[in-house]
């Protein structure tokens, strides 16, 4: 098979080296200056009509468009196109394009014309003042086997008020003369922010066009709709045709709207880069409605014990569970379990501190202890004396553990309560998708199911859960007799297990699981994890023994070591697995996540019996704050992901859904106890 959807991932991986260098030079707080051009050109990179611009999309911005222009076999044709680009780091843009003639035709038996997925990578040179010029280099159609559109280019530009001028040079791999084959240039004139007139010479042909953009703020969530028309062209290869595109610009993630606790000692003024805690878009409770202000002179005699009791009642009414509060000197102690802010538990920390600040009385600080499955996980000491910003004075793992002696005694709790019973069932829904993208069998083949998980807490560290899958759609190639039938979403019980987690030390956990896994296997799992004091690094063992439920002599063993790293400044995660995977293939697997608030871009590399790469997204399918009922909680998947994977570095790019598979619980240690690995101590 010669499909190339791995090229999109390869391009993204290739850009990370340059991105890392740029990150070191610029630092975590650097920001990119306002770029000149934010639209996508027809080939899928940021630019004008066919000519690339000298800037990239800002970090966290995603643009997706449909267009009808294709340059195939030396001439322009009307082809279906879907392209997209993403600002993965400052000064780094990665994207791709799918172009096709026939949507469902089998290229082997029926013929399908062009069907190709290509990658685009573009890097802008940092540290050049924009009042001098901007400079960018890029690759179109990076990697792959057929290289239908491959070219490298360099573009320099300068802005003069509403006028932007770009000059550059391109070198395509194709021997057929085409755009970006030599010197090119473009001029853009924006009389209004929503209107753009463009003229360009793409090294072969001269074109004129216009683009429109919906004004900022007209659509919710920062979305903008964009359209573009190529109205005039003249040249040897233009064929006097008109092309158009329509797309949408999406600010990916919500990191900029999320207030969080700051680190360090209080200082004057608000925390840089943090929005007001009253931001309505976060879904966080900035101030409780019942107690709006700090105590006045009329109630300063209120005993601190009453303050602790009021705080506990307030948290239970808000929906928190296993709440305990106490007053000791000038410190208000709060211990609670969060099942409201399931996207990011740091939101619960902020919400509880804000509530403590509003009822603090004579308390100068609050000591927080976050529980998960009734096990103390992390401790935070936060000053209550700041008005505009809340500062973390101390952060650590909660003391205690079955192997630790001399634990600090707990305070005498003056309030204990919970919103509903501790065994409350939780029902989680998620779509599960298997798909093939831009293969010789179709542009997009898929099998889609509704996954449902029911879980309940039994006693500290004990959890019982079951997951069921119900397929409700499949394309022809995923139906019985189809080429992808074995990789479909099955309708069956995926997993049913009971687990017990033990906190050995404040920074060491182990969990034992037993039950049914991967549809057809009964077995046991163990996950043991050790963290560094800051929580940025961890080492883990993920192992298991499984026996097929119908074939008694068919067993599988899994034994994996995992190293994990989390950088809170960039909100980037890296996991490296090595050992024997579930299918008993041996090798390595590297998973990475680039977070933008509750959303993430994922890149993955696998090397066992074969090499695989994938590109994907993590999208929360539940509100920032989930709804609680007394005896049941309904929620969506806060960590839903979709990715495209394929085999690389072989003569034929055979579509594959396997390789380096890991069987683990639906409720592993990091997800249940450590906020998906993002609950570091500094």
């Amino acid at each position: 098979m010669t499909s190339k959807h791995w090229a999109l991932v390869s391009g993204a991986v290739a850009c990370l080296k340059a991105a890392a260098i740029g990150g070191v030079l610029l630092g975590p707080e650097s920001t990119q200056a306002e770029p000149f051009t934010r639209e996508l050109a027809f080939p899928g990179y940021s630019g004008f009509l066919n000519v690339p611009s000298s800037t990239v999309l800002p970090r966290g911005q995603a643009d997706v468009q449909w267009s009808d222009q294709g340059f195939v076999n030396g001439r322009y044709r009307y082809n279906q196109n879907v392209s997209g680009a993403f600002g993965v780091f400052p000064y780094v843009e990665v994207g791709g394009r799918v172009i096709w003639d026939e949507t469902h035709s089998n290229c082997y038996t029926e013929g399908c014309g062009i069907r190709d997925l290509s990658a685009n990578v573009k890097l802008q040179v940092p540290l050049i003042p924009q009042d001098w010029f901007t400079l960018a280099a890029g690759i179109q159609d990076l990697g792959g086997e057929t290289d239908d559109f491959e070219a490298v280019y360099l573009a320099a530009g300068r802005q003069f008020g509403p006028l932007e001028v770009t000059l550059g040079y391109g070198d395509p791999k194709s021997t057929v003369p085409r755009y970006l084959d030599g010197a090119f240039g473009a001029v853009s004139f924006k009389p209004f922010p929503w209107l753009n007139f463009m003229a360009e010479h793409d090294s072969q042909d001269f074109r004129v066009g216009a683009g429109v953009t919906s004004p900022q703020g007209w659509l919710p969530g920062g979305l903008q709709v964009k359209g573009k028309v190529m109205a005039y062209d003249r040249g040897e290869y233009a064929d006097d045709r008109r092309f158009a595109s329509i797309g949408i610009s999406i600010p990916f993630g919500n990191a900029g709207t999320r207030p969080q606790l700051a680190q360090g000692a209080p200082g004057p003024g608000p925390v840089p880069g943090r929005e007001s805690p009253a931001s309505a878009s976060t879904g966080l409770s900035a101030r409780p409605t019942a107690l709006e202000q700090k105590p006045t002179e009329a109630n300063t005699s209120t005993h601190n014990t009453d303050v602790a009791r009021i705080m506990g009642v307030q948290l239970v009414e808000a929906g928190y569970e296993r709440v305990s509060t106490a007053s000791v000197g000038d410190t208000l102690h709060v211990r609670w379990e969060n099942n409201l802010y399931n996207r990011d538990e740091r939101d619960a920390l902020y919400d509880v501190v804000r509530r403590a600040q509003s009822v603090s009385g004579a308390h100068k600080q609050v000591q927080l202890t976050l529980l998960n499955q009734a096990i103390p996980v992390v401790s935070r000491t936060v000053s209550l004396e700041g008005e505009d910003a809340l500062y973390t004075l101390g952060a650590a793992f909660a003391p205690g553990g079955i192997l630790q002696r001399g634990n600090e005694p707990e305070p005498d709790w003056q309030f204990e309560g919970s919103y509903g019973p501790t065994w409350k069932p939780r029902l989680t829904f998620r779509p599960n998708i298997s798909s093939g993208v831009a293969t010789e069998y179709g542009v997009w083949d898929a099998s889609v199911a509704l996954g449902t998980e029911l879980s309940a807490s039994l006693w500290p560290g004990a959890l019982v859960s079951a997951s069921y899958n119900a397929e409700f759609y499949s394309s022809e190639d995923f139906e019985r007799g189809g080429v992808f039938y074995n990789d479909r979403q099955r309708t069956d019980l995926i997993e049913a297990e009971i687990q017990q987690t033990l906190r050995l030390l404040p920074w060491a956990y182990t969990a034992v699981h037993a039950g049914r896994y991967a549809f057809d296997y009964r077995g046991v799992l163990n996950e043991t994890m050790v963290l560094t004091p800051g929580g940025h690094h961890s080492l883990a063992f993920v192992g298991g023994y499984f026996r097929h439920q119908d074939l008694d002599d068919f067993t599988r063993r899994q034994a994996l070591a995992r190293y994990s790293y989390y950088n809170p400044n960039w909100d980037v995660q890296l996991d490296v697995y090595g050992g024997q995977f579930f299918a008993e293939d041996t090798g390595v697997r590297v998973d990475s996540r680039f977070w933008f608030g509750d959303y993430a871009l994922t890149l993955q590399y696998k090397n066992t019996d074969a090499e695989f790469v994938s590109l994907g997204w993590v999208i929360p399918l539940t509100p920032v704050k989930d709804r609680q009922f007394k005896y049941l909680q309904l929620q969506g998947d806060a960590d839903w992901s979709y990715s495209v994977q394929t085999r690389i570095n072989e003569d034929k790019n055979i579509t594959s859904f396997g390789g380096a598979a890991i069987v683990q619980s639906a409720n592993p240690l990091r997800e249940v106890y450590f906020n998906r690995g993002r609950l570091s101590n500094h």
Side-chain angles (χ1 to χ4, degrees):
M1 184 181 299
T2 58
S3 62
K4 303 188 305 168
H5 59 268
W6 67 272
L8 179 59
V9 184
S10 301
V13 173
C15 80
L16 294 182
K17 293 182 180 179
I21 296 173
V24 171
L25 292 174
L26 300 171
E29 299 299 329
S30 65
T31 57
Q32 180 180 344
E34 186 74 10
F36 303 168
T37 301
R38 293 177 177 268
E39 295 81 19
L40 295 187
F42 289 116
Y45 40 66
S46 56
F48 304 90
L49 296 170
N50 276 358
V51 168
S53 64
S54 59
T55 58
V56 298
L57 296 182
R59 180 177 185 265
Q61 178 176 324
D63 274 29
V64 180
Q65 76 173 11
W66 170 90
S67 70
D68 60 355
Q69 185 205 75
F71 186 82
V72 181
N73 297 327
R75 66 185 185 91
Y76 288 95
R77 298 168 32 181
Y78 290 109
N79 290 101
Q80 302 288 332
N81 286 260
V82 173
S83 58
F86 183 78
V88 64
F89 279 124
Y91 302 100
V92 178
E93 171 187 309
V94 58
R97 177 177 69 162
V98 180
I99 180 173
W100 71 95
D101 282 328
E102 300 292 336
T103 304
H104 300 294
S105 300
N106 187 322
C107 296
Y108 293 118
T109 60
E110 306 169 29
C112 60
I114 184 71
R115 184 181 293 160
D116 181 85
L117 194 153
S118 56
N120 300 319
V121 177
K122 190 177 180 186
L123 308 176
Q124 183 180 339
V125 178
L127 306 179
I128 298 177
Q130 275 203 4
D131 56 0
W132 293 5
F133 62 92
T134 53
L135 183 66
I139 304 176
Q140 183 191 5
D141 196 3
L142 175 70
E145 297 173 66
T146 58
D147 303 317
D148 293 297
F149 307 102
E150 184 174 349
V152 296
Y153 59 86
L154 184 70
R158 175 77 186 273
Q159 189 171 17
F160 304 91
L163 189 69
E164 177 184 350
V165 178
T166 295
L167 298 173
Y169 189 87
D171 182 19
K173 184 175 182 179
S174 172
T175 58
V176 177
R178 45 153 283 181
Y179 63 95
L180 305 188
D181 189 0
F184 59 79
V187 177
S188 169
F189 175 64
K190 287 187 175 181
F192 306 101
W194 52 271
L195 181 61
N196 184 19
F197 295 105
M198 293 162 283
E200 69 176 29
H201 189 274
D202 67 6
S203 77
Q204 302 296 325
D205 302 305
F206 175 75
R207 296 184 177 83
V208 175
V212 294
T213 301
S214 64
Q216 186 74 43
W218 277 27
L219 297 176
L223 301 177
Q224 289 182 284
V225 175
K226 300 180 178 181
K228 185 175 294 184
V229 175
M230 190 178 73
Y232 172 81
D233 59 358
R234 182 176 181 180
E236 185 176 353
Y237 303 98
D239 295 332
D240 195 28
R241 296 195 177 190
R242 310 290 180 263
F243 299 102
S245 69
I246 185 169
I248 187 168
S249 180
I250 308 167
F252 189 77
N254 56 349
T257 62
R258 182 60 53 80
Q260 293 181 10
L261 299 177
Q263 301 288 340
V271 185
R274 309 277 183 183
E275 295 206 358
S276 167
S279 174
S281 61
T282 65
L284 300 178
S285 176
R287 298 273 185 174
T289 57
L291 295 165
E292 292 288 340
Q293 303 295 333
K294 285 192 171 187
T296 63
E297 292 183 3
N299 58 15
T300 52
S301 61
T302 302
H303 195 275
N304 282 350
T305 300
D306 295 331
V307 172
R309 180 185 57 81
I310 292 171
M311 181 66 183
V313 171
Q314 188 181 101
L315 293 180
V316 170
E317 290 178 349
Y320 290 111
E321 301 172 5
R322 295 185 169 110
V323 176
S324 302
T325 59
S327 176
V328 180
D330 62 358
T331 301
L332 177 63
H333 291 260
V334 179
R335 189 175 73 176
W336 86 107
E337 183 156 333
N338 163 57
N339 282 296
L340 294 178
Y341 296 98
N342 292 309
R343 287 190 182 185
D344 192 337
E345 289 205 305
R346 293 173 294 185
D347 293 342
L349 292 169
Y350 189 91
D351 181 49
V352 171
V353 172
R354 269 298 178 193
R355 294 177 184 276
Q357 187 187 46
S358 70
V359 299
S360 60
H363 296 104
K364 295 183 179 180
Q365 60 187 20
V366 58
Q367 177 74 48
L368 306 175
T369 301
L370 179 66
L371 306 176
N372 276 312
Q373 296 301 311
I375 295 179
V377 177
V378 293
S379 176
R380 300 286 186 267
T381 303
V382 182
S383 171
L384 295 176
E385 298 181 305
E387 289 291 339
D388 297 321
L390 296 172
Y391 286 83
T392 301
L393 303 178
F397 296 120
I402 63 175
L403 299 182
Q404 186 179 56
R405 298 184 180 275
N407 295 336
E408 296 181 6
E410 293 184 352
D412 293 329
W413 300 112
Q414 289 139 12
F415 174 87
E416 292 183 276
S418 186
Y419 190 84
T422 58
W423 47 262
K424 178 188 302 181
R426 307 188 194 281
L427 197 59
T428 304
F429 301 95
R430 64 178 61 89
N432 294 323
I433 302 175
S434 297
S435 64
V437 180
T439 71
E440 276 70 14
Y441 299 96
V443 175
W444 192 71
D445 287 295
S447 172
V448 186
L450 175 64
T452 307
E453 180 194 352
L454 181 65
S455 64
S457 181
L458 300 179
W459 52 79
L463 185 68
V464 61
S465 66
S467 301
Y468 187 81
N469 208 42
E471 185 190 48
F472 62 85
Y473 168 80
S474 65
S475 60
E476 182 178 353
D477 289 325
F478 276 96
E479 295 176 352
R480 184 179 296 275
V483 65
F484 300 140
Y485 177 72
N486 290 337
D487 300 297
R488 73 195 185 282
Q489 289 290 328
R490 292 170 52 182
T491 298
D492 203 345
L493 183 67
I494 305 174
E495 174 186 307
E497 70 157 14
I498 184 171
Q499 63 171 272
Q500 176 66 60
T501 298
L502 300 174
R503 187 170 64 134
L504 307 176
L505 295 164
W507 38 266
Y509 287 69
T510 188
V512 179
H513 312 251
R516 175 174 172 175
Y517 301 94
F519 292 102
D520 299 320
Y521 292 86
R522 296 188 179 94
V524 294
L525 278 167
N526 174 254
E527 182 181 5
T528 300
M529 182 172 65
V530 177
L531 300 101
T532 58
H536 295 172
H537 305 265
S538 69
L539 292 174
F541 169 78
V542 182
Y545 175 81
F546 310 93
R547 184 181 298 275
H548 198 282
Q549 62 180 2
D550 298 322
L551 306 172
D552 291 339
D553 58 345
F554 190 83
T555 61
R556 286 185 172 177
R557 292 173 175 82
Q558 175 179 283
L560 294 168
R562 182 187 71 211
Y563 165 75
S564 300
Y565 171 69
Y566 172 61
N567 186 320
N569 293 326
W570 282 105
D571 221 356
V572 172
Q573 286 177 298
L574 179 70
D575 295 323
V576 181
Y577 294 88
Q580 181 171 287
F581 294 88
F582 175 67
E584 300 192 345
D585 50 335
T586 59
V588 297
R589 166 173 159 173
V590 181
D591 297 349
S592 59
R593 285 190 176 192
F594 304 87
W595 287 96
F596 299 87
D598 298 326
Y599 303 74
L601 177 76
T602 66
L603 295 173
Q604 186 180 80
Y605 170 76
K606 302 176 181 180
N607 188 347
T608 56
D609 296 339
E611 285 186 88
F612 301 87
V613 289
S614 71
L615 171 67
W617 297 264
V618 174
I619 302 174
L621 300 181
T622 198
V624 172
K625 184 178 180 181
D626 282 321
R627 176 71 184 276
Q628 283 268 37
F629 299 98
K630 283 286 186 181
Y631 299 100
L632 179 68
Q633 185 173 33
L634 303 176
Q635 61 193 40
D637 188 357
D639 198 42
W640 184 78
S641 62
Y642 174 75
S643 61
V644 177
Q645 173 184 284
T646 193
R647 193 186 304 245
I648 63 171
N649 289 337
E650 296 189 10
D651 294 336
K652 292 187 177 181
N653 181 30
I654 302 172
T655 302
S656 177
F657 296 83
I662 301 173
V663 169
Q664 59 183 346
S665 167
N667 298 281
L669 285 177
R670 286 193 306 174
E671 280 70 5
V672 174
Y673 295 93
F674 288 96
N675 193 35
R676 291 175 284 171
R678 296 197 295 163
L679 205 59
S680 62
N681 290 327
H682 50 70

